[in-house]
Amino acid sequence: MIKSKKIMIATVLCAFSAFSFAQEVSFENKLSSELVSIKITDDGNESEFAGFENETSAEYSSDNLDIGLTVKFAIAKEDDDALSIGAENFVDDYFIEFRPINLLGIGFHKGYSVAGSYLPCLDGEIEASNIGSDLGVFLRPLDGLVIGAGLDFITYFGRDGKEPLVNFGAEYSLAEMLAFGASFRNIASDDRSIGAYASFTGLEGVTLNAGFTYNGEIEDFSISGNLINAGIIFAKDAFGLAADAVFAAGGDKDEANELYFAANVSYQITEALTANLYASYTKDFDNDDVWATAINPSVDFALNDNNTLGTGVFVNIMKSEKSISFPLYWKYAL
């Protein structure tokens, strides 16, 4: 099944490339592991093999067609000491957008996150900022303006207890220095999310992001509720700084964190070697015992234009448990 999907995508790429002029192709494969995970509790210490994860992504972009595919699999040690290789959801992400005319794009599972929702240390956008859908359209009536609307699958019309999964929103970029927009996800349901975001890039080497999300979520850090987000990216010569923060109000009192903050400082020692220091903090203000602090010093070494190696130490500290792991990766990119 996966093989047939790859053949189909390759066939589509070849067919459309004949009608496209400006084309871009990107590819990245990253093999990573935390090697050994050591957990330290009041009851003692334990260590285990952390396994390996491989993520492969490829994208093709042209004047009238965009296609993307991401696949993931893992090598893991199971509870019965067996070794597993694979993944239940091997195809992690995919998208297609084709543009029969410049004004109109038709997308399948195509995401489009409003600028300003990006969290640089998390390296991802707030999910509720996505104006794309499983089946959606994108209108670009003016230079810098994108309007998106569509439905997620499976959507029902006329079925009791099943509201249609309707999403829409817009983004406008002004003179390549200011972008702002709004998103409305699952708007027909009581679980709807609404977001408003802005991004400023008017100073060289500086990006400022900010936004507000009604009924949002950041799953990686167990944050949910009404979110206020901010982020900054600063780069000058060999020095780089990224920081982001999210504050949540109105979330689940017993299960959700209200604060997330992270920062990453990098310095390019040589053309090939870069040193990084990452730190993060999360806190549940409703429970004094629920907090976490993470520290991750690391280095990246570029072997050549395509291959990069990285390693470091990741320490996570909570009231009830401490953990130490040793992240290591090899990345090949075109």
Side-chain angles (χ1 to χ4, degrees):
M1 185 68 173
I2 296 299
K3 184 177 180 181
S4 65
K5 287 183 179 179
K6 291 182 178 179
I7 293 173
M8 178 188 70
I9 290 173
T11 303
V12 171
L13 290 179
C14 291
F16 275 88
S17 63
F19 302 99
S20 305
F21 297 98
Q23 304 174 36
E24 294 183 7
V25 176
S26 65
F27 174 85
E28 180 178 298
N29 188 90
K30 185 175 182 180
L31 177 64
S32 61
S33 174
E34 295 187 348
L35 295 183
V36 177
S37 177
I38 303 171
K39 294 183 180 180
I40 305 170
T41 66
D42 294 337
D43 298 329
N45 305 338
E46 63 178 55
S47 62
E48 62 181 5
F49 171 58
F52 288 86
E53 180 179 275
N54 193 87
E55 178 178 329
T56 305
S57 61
E59 292 190 14
Y60 169 90
S61 179
S62 71
D63 294 336
N64 50 17
L65 175 68
D66 298 335
I67 288 181
L69 177 69
T70 300
V71 295
K72 286 184 179 181
F73 71 89
I75 302 172
K77 183 179 179 182
E78 303 297 328
D79 293 337
D80 59 357
D81 290 333
L83 193 67
S84 67
I85 301 177
E88 291 184 1
N89 297 310
F90 181 55
V91 179
D92 184 67
D93 194 14
Y94 62 91
F95 68 84
I96 299 173
E97 182 190 347
F98 70 94
R99 291 172 287 277
I101 56 176
N102 291 336
L103 172 67
L104 174 66
I106 300 174
F108 303 100
H109 203 253
K110 175 67 183 289
Y112 190 107
S113 296
V114 177
S117 69
Y118 180 68
L119 301 173
C121 293
L122 186 62
D123 191 22
E125 293 84 7
I126 294 175
E127 186 176 350
S129 71
N130 181 13
I131 64 174
S133 303
D134 288 332
L135 173 60
V137 296
F138 298 97
L139 299 177
R140 298 173 174 88
L142 302 173
D143 187 29
L145 176 62
V146 180
I147 302 171
L151 304 171
D152 281 342
F153 297 152
I154 297 173
T155 282
Y156 298 94
F157 288 93
R159 174 171 287 187
D160 291 341
K162 295 286 186 180
E163 297 88 357
L165 305 177
V166 180
N167 312 307
F168 63 92
E171 177 191 87
Y172 182 67
S173 300
L174 181 63
E176 297 185 356
M177 62 178 294
L178 178 65
F180 54 90
S183 60
F184 304 82
R185 292 198 62 80
N186 201 12
I187 198 66
S189 167
D190 292 337
D191 295 327
R192 68 183 61 88
S193 297
I194 302 172
Y197 312 94
S199 179
F200 176 75
T201 54
L203 297 176
E204 183 179 359
V206 177
T207 299
L208 300 175
N209 295 334
F212 172 79
T213 307
Y214 167 78
N215 193 26
E217 180 181 20
I218 300 176
E219 186 175 354
D220 288 351
F221 289 92
S222 300
I223 295 176
S224 64
N226 302 324
L227 311 180
I228 299 172
N229 70 282
I232 180 172
I233 303 172
F234 174 77
K236 184 174 178 58
D237 299 326
F239 177 79
L241 169 67
D244 51 35
V246 178
F247 175 75
D252 190 317
K253 181 178 180 180
D254 298 323
E255 299 180 1
N257 290 318
E258 280 83 31
L259 176 66
Y260 152 81
F261 171 79
N264 186 77
V265 178
S266 65
Y267 186 80
Q268 189 171 358
I269 301 172
T270 68
E271 185 176 350
L273 183 65
T274 302
N276 312 282
L277 179 60
Y278 167 89
S280 69
Y281 176 77
T282 58
K283 173 65 178 169
D284 180 356
F285 292 121
D286 298 313
N287 190 335
D288 291 337
D289 293 333
V290 179
W291 53 269
T293 298
I295 301 173
N296 177 207
S298 65
V299 293
D300 302 311
F301 183 76
L303 299 174
N304 50 43
D305 291 341
N306 304 114
N307 293 276
T308 304
L309 295 176
T311 188
V313 178
F314 189 91
V315 179
N316 192 55
I317 303 171
M318 299 182 289
K319 182 179 177 64
S320 59
E321 179 182 290
K322 287 82 176 172
S323 64
I324 303 173
S325 60
F326 304 90
L328 173 69
Y329 78 86
W330 162 61
K331 181 174 69 175
Y332 177 83
L334 290 176

PDB file of all heavy atoms in Angstrom, residues 257-269:
ATOM      1  N   ASN A 257      -1.290  22.620  32.263  1.00  0.00           N
ATOM      2  CA  ASN A 257      -0.365  23.670  32.684  1.00  0.00           C
ATOM      3  C   ASN A 257      -0.884  25.024  32.230  1.00  0.00           C
ATOM      4  O   ASN A 257      -1.583  25.125  31.213  1.00  0.00           O
ATOM      5  CB  ASN A 257       1.019  23.430  32.077  1.00  0.00           C
ATOM      6  CG  ASN A 257       1.718  22.233  32.688  1.00  0.00           C
ATOM      7  OD1 ASN A 257       1.679  22.036  33.902  1.00  0.00           O
ATOM      8  ND2 ASN A 257       2.347  21.420  31.847  1.00  0.00           N
ATOM      9  N   GLU A 258      -0.505  26.050  32.968  1.00  0.00           N
ATOM     10  CA  GLU A 258      -0.891  27.415  32.580  1.00  0.00           C
ATOM     11  C   GLU A 258       0.256  28.211  31.973  1.00  0.00           C
ATOM     12  O   GLU A 258       0.028  29.267  31.375  1.00  0.00           O
ATOM     13  CB  GLU A 258      -1.437  28.192  33.795  1.00  0.00           C
ATOM     14  CG  GLU A 258      -2.875  27.882  34.138  1.00  0.00           C
ATOM     15  CD  GLU A 258      -2.996  26.635  34.988  1.00  0.00           C
ATOM     16  OE1 GLU A 258      -2.079  26.346  35.776  1.00  0.00           O
ATOM     17  OE2 GLU A 258      -4.012  25.926  34.861  1.00  0.00           O
ATOM     18  N   LEU A 259       1.482  27.738  32.147  1.00  0.00           N
ATOM     19  CA  LEU A 259       2.625  28.509  31.664  1.00  0.00           C
ATOM     20  C   LEU A 259       3.640  27.592  30.983  1.00  0.00           C
ATOM     21  O   LEU A 259       3.960  26.521  31.484  1.00  0.00           O
ATOM     22  CB  LEU A 259       3.313  29.239  32.823  1.00  0.00           C
ATOM     23  CG  LEU A 259       4.594  30.010  32.469  1.00  0.00           C
ATOM     24  CD1 LEU A 259       4.282  31.185  31.545  1.00  0.00           C
ATOM     25  CD2 LEU A 259       5.305  30.498  33.732  1.00  0.00           C
ATOM     26  N   TYR A 260       4.104  28.042  29.836  1.00  0.00           N
ATOM     27  CA  TYR A 260       5.234  27.421  29.139  1.00  0.00           C
ATOM     28  C   TYR A 260       6.176  28.531  28.706  1.00  0.00           C
ATOM     29  O   TYR A 260       5.755  29.559  28.182  1.00  0.00           O
ATOM     30  CB  TYR A 260       4.752  26.632  27.916  1.00  0.00           C
ATOM     31  CG  TYR A 260       5.766  26.522  26.811  1.00  0.00           C
ATOM     32  CD1 TYR A 260       6.789  25.578  26.864  1.00  0.00           C
ATOM     33  CD2 TYR A 260       5.723  27.388  25.707  1.00  0.00           C
ATOM     34  CE1 TYR A 260       7.732  25.494  25.844  1.00  0.00           C
ATOM     35  CE2 TYR A 260       6.661  27.293  24.688  1.00  0.00           C
ATOM     36  CZ  TYR A 260       7.660  26.352  24.762  1.00  0.00           C
ATOM     37  OH  TYR A 260       8.588  26.274  23.761  1.00  0.00           O
ATOM     38  N   PHE A 261       7.476  28.327  28.941  1.00  0.00           N
ATOM     39  CA  PHE A 261       8.485  29.278  28.491  1.00  0.00           C
ATOM     40  C   PHE A 261       9.707  28.494  28.048  1.00  0.00           C
ATOM     41  O   PHE A 261      10.107  27.514  28.690  1.00  0.00           O
ATOM     42  CB  PHE A 261       8.880  30.254  29.599  1.00  0.00           C
ATOM     43  CG  PHE A 261      10.072  31.106  29.243  1.00  0.00           C
ATOM     44  CD1 PHE A 261       9.919  32.199  28.409  1.00  0.00           C
ATOM     45  CD2 PHE A 261      11.343  30.795  29.719  1.00  0.00           C
ATOM     46  CE1 PHE A 261      11.015  32.981  28.050  1.00  0.00           C
ATOM     47  CE2 PHE A 261      12.442  31.570  29.368  1.00  0.00           C
ATOM     48  CZ  PHE A 261      12.274  32.665  28.536  1.00  0.00           C
ATOM     49  N   ALA A 262      10.330  28.916  26.957  1.00  0.00           N
ATOM     50  CA  ALA A 262      11.542  28.251  26.477  1.00  0.00           C
ATOM     51  C   ALA A 262      12.441  29.268  25.791  1.00  0.00           C
ATOM     52  O   ALA A 262      11.972  30.270  25.235  1.00  0.00           O
ATOM     53  CB  ALA A 262      11.199  27.116  25.521  1.00  0.00           C
ATOM     54  N   ALA A 263      13.732  28.984  25.829  1.00  0.00           N
ATOM     55  CA  ALA A 263      14.717  29.833  25.148  1.00  0.00           C
ATOM     56  C   ALA A 263      15.850  28.956  24.627  1.00  0.00           C
ATOM     57  O   ALA A 263      16.194  27.932  25.240  1.00  0.00           O
ATOM     58  CB  ALA A 263      15.266  30.891  26.100  1.00  0.00           C
ATOM     59  N   ASN A 264      16.409  29.369  23.502  1.00  0.00           N
ATOM     60  CA  ASN A 264      17.545  28.652  22.922  1.00  0.00           C
ATOM     61  C   ASN A 264      18.569  29.670  22.416  1.00  0.00           C
ATOM     62  O   ASN A 264      18.235  30.565  21.637  1.00  0.00           O
ATOM     63  CB  ASN A 264      17.101  27.752  21.770  1.00  0.00           C
ATOM     64  CG  ASN A 264      18.239  26.887  21.260  1.00  0.00           C
ATOM     65  OD1 ASN A 264      18.594  25.892  21.881  1.00  0.00           O
ATOM     66  ND2 ASN A 264      18.831  27.266  20.127  1.00  0.00           N
ATOM     67  N   VAL A 265      19.786  29.521  22.887  1.00  0.00           N
ATOM     68  CA  VAL A 265      20.893  30.390  22.474  1.00  0.00           C
ATOM     69  C   VAL A 265      21.860  29.545  21.646  1.00  0.00           C
ATOM     70  O   VAL A 265      22.209  28.423  22.032  1.00  0.00           O
ATOM     71  CB  VAL A 265      21.620  30.985  23.688  1.00  0.00           C
ATOM     72  CG1 VAL A 265      22.789  31.853  23.224  1.00  0.00           C
ATOM     73  CG2 VAL A 265      20.659  31.802  24.535  1.00  0.00           C
ATOM     74  N   SER A 266      22.280  30.067  20.510  1.00  0.00           N
ATOM     75  CA  SER A 266      23.218  29.349  19.660  1.00  0.00           C
ATOM     76  C   SER A 266      24.376  30.253  19.262  1.00  0.00           C
ATOM     77  O   SER A 266      24.229  31.479  19.153  1.00  0.00           O
ATOM     78  CB  SER A 266      22.516  28.813  18.407  1.00  0.00           C
ATOM     79  OG  SER A 266      22.055  29.877  17.598  1.00  0.00           O
ATOM     80  N   TYR A 267      25.537  29.617  19.064  1.00  0.00           N
ATOM     81  CA  TYR A 267      26.711  30.376  18.615  1.00  0.00           C
ATOM     82  C   TYR A 267      27.486  29.513  17.623  1.00  0.00           C
ATOM     83  O   TYR A 267      27.840  28.363  17.925  1.00  0.00           O
ATOM     84  CB  TYR A 267      27.608  30.766  19.779  1.00  0.00           C
ATOM     85  CG  TYR A 267      28.753  31.663  19.353  1.00  0.00           C
ATOM     86  CD1 TYR A 267      28.534  33.028  19.160  1.00  0.00           C
ATOM     87  CD2 TYR A 267      30.030  31.156  19.128  1.00  0.00           C
ATOM     88  CE1 TYR A 267      29.562  33.861  18.752  1.00  0.00           C
ATOM     89  CE2 TYR A 267      31.064  31.979  18.721  1.00  0.00           C
ATOM     90  CZ  TYR A 267      30.820  33.336  18.531  1.00  0.00           C
ATOM     91  OH  TYR A 267      31.841  34.162  18.123  1.00  0.00           O
ATOM     92  N   GLN A 268      27.737  30.060  16.436  1.00  0.00           N
ATOM     93  CA  GLN A 268      28.454  29.336  15.391  1.00  0.00           C
ATOM     94  C   GLN A 268      29.952  29.527  15.609  1.00  0.00           C
ATOM     95  O   GLN A 268      30.528  30.561  15.279  1.00  0.00           O
ATOM     96  CB  GLN A 268      28.038  29.824  14.007  1.00  0.00           C
ATOM     97  CG  GLN A 268      28.584  28.974  12.881  1.00  0.00           C
ATOM     98  CD  GLN A 268      27.994  29.349  11.532  1.00  0.00           C
ATOM     99  OE1 GLN A 268      27.146  30.230  11.433  1.00  0.00           O
ATOM    100  NE2 GLN A 268      28.447  28.665  10.488  1.00  0.00           N
ATOM    101  N   ILE A 269      30.577  28.500  16.190  1.00  0.00           N
ATOM    102  CA  ILE A 269      31.987  28.574  16.550  1.00  0.00           C
ATOM    103  C   ILE A 269      32.863  28.605  15.305  1.00  0.00           C
ATOM    104  O   ILE A 269      33.798  29.406  15.194  1.00  0.00           O
ATOM    105  CB  ILE A 269      32.359  27.384  17.453  1.00  0.00           C
ATOM    106  CG1 ILE A 269      31.493  27.407  18.721  1.00  0.00           C
ATOM    107  CG2 ILE A 269      33.835  27.430  17.822  1.00  0.00           C
ATOM    108  CD1 ILE A 269      31.644  26.166  19.577  1.00  0.00           C
TER     109      ILE A 269
END
